[in-house]
Amino acid sequence: MHFSKRLEDDEEYQIIECTKLDNNILVYKQKLDENQHYLLKLKNNQCAVLFEKGQIYDLVKDEGIYTIKTEPNTSFPEELNDYKIKDNQDQLCILFFNLNIITHNKIYLKKKFMNHFQGEGMFEFQIEQPIKLFNKVIQVRSYYSREELLEQIRERITKIVTLFIKEHPEEYKIKEEAIRSSINIFKEYGIKIVGWDINHIQLKKS
């Protein structure tokens, strides 16, 4: 089963297109009926992953119109087999991924540990490798929001800052460069941090 550029006009199709993705919704799940003929209209800066019971059948990123073919996908990349999710019972679905840059993401850091520290800022990110994020969101209900991801980003940056405090107890300011290592952490999610504006994190002795 796979996506194919539409060439024929002799069948009845149910049109599928995703209008739910915006600056807040990163992933949207669309369930399919195997007995239906579908016409997928993929918009610019979207990616569609066709899967069933955790097994990926195909992935498309290019804007265009596609049908879903039931015959085996002879061009299926072998590396996609590495992303099969065990114990997933979802019937045939499409996951739509938002490939736009997600903006206006606020981050607040405030923790009491040996020292008080606090900071705030903004950052932007983008889904660079949807197939990696697939592993993280396969169990989503019908959508995955940026707020769910932001909570994980905040938690990880807080841990990095806490570790810095342990290793540099006499420092009173942590510059942005000191937490840039957090960017690499999100490669496992297929997420690319494309812009930071984080104020200096101020420490205050307890």
Side-chain angles (χ1 to χ4, degrees):
M1 187 170 292
H2 62 100
F3 294 116
S4 176
K5 282 282 190 178
R6 189 189 183 196
L7 298 175
E8 69 277 2
D9 296 305
D10 57 348
E11 293 187 79
E12 292 289 331
Y13 289 94
Q14 179 177 335
I15 297 174
I16 297 177
E17 59 181 330
C18 185
T19 60
K20 304 292 186 180
L21 302 180
D22 55 27
N23 201 57
N24 293 310
I25 304 300
L26 304 182
V27 184
Y28 185 80
K29 181 191 289 185
Q30 175 70 58
K31 295 182 179 181
L32 305 179
D33 182 344
E34 293 188 14
N35 297 316
Q36 280 277 3
H37 295 291
Y38 290 102
L39 187 67
L40 169 67
K41 291 187 176 181
L42 193 65
K43 298 183 177 182
N44 186 38
N45 287 331
Q46 290 186 354
C47 171
V49 173
L50 180 67
F51 77 99
E52 183 177 31
K53 295 184 178 179
Q55 175 65 60
I56 297 175
Y57 289 134
D58 204 357
L59 176 153
V60 287
K61 292 183 179 180
D62 296 330
E63 181 179 11
I65 301 176
Y66 301 84
T67 57
I68 298 176
K69 298 293 187 180
T70 56
E71 64 266 19
N73 185 1
T74 56
S75 61
F76 186 77
E78 290 187 6
E79 61 268 21
L80 291 186
N81 288 318
D82 296 335
Y83 292 94
K84 184 173 182 179
I85 310 299
K86 295 181 180 179
D87 302 322
N88 177 268
Q89 297 303 313
D90 278 329
Q91 298 303 311
L92 190 62
C93 297
I94 294 177
L95 280 183
F96 291 93
F97 290 82
N98 185 352
L99 303 186
N100 285 303
I101 293 176
I102 307 301
T103 61
H104 299 96
N105 304 291
K106 295 181 180 180
I107 185 165
Y108 302 100
L109 303 174
K110 191 172 184 180
K111 188 176 179 66
K112 184 176 182 180
F113 177 82
M114 296 174 59
N115 301 281
H116 296 286
F117 69 84
Q118 59 184 9
E120 61 180 30
M122 302 277 285
F123 66 96
E124 299 177 345
F125 68 90
Q126 187 174 26
I127 299 174
E128 188 175 41
Q129 295 178 288
I131 202 63
K132 287 188 175 182
L133 188 59
F134 172 85
N135 270 4
K136 307 295 182 181
V137 304
I138 186 64
Q139 303 296 349
V140 296
R141 304 158 305 282
S142 60
Y143 67 91
Y144 182 77
S145 71
R146 69 168 176 166
E147 195 59 38
E148 295 173 76
L149 184 61
L150 291 183
E151 284 303 317
Q152 297 178 59
I153 292 176
R154 293 180 185 120
E155 179 181 350
R156 291 188 178 207
I157 293 180
T158 298
K159 287 180 179 178
I160 289 170
V161 174
T162 301
L163 180 61
F164 185 92
I165 292 172
K166 287 181 179 180
E167 295 176 348
H168 305 87
E170 302 305 317
E171 294 285 343
Y172 285 84
K173 280 190 177 182
I174 304 175
K175 294 185 178 181
E176 179 181 338
E177 290 75 12
I179 60 173
R180 281 191 177 275
S181 60
S182 64
I183 294 175
N184 293 330
I185 290 175
F186 294 96
K187 287 184 177 179
E188 68 184 78
Y189 282 80
I191 299 296
K192 177 182 179 181
I193 306 296
V194 297
W196 289 92
D197 182 14
I198 299 179
N199 298 330
H200 289 180
I201 298 173
Q202 182 70 46
L203 309 183
K204 182 179 180 182
K205 289 288 187 179
S206 300

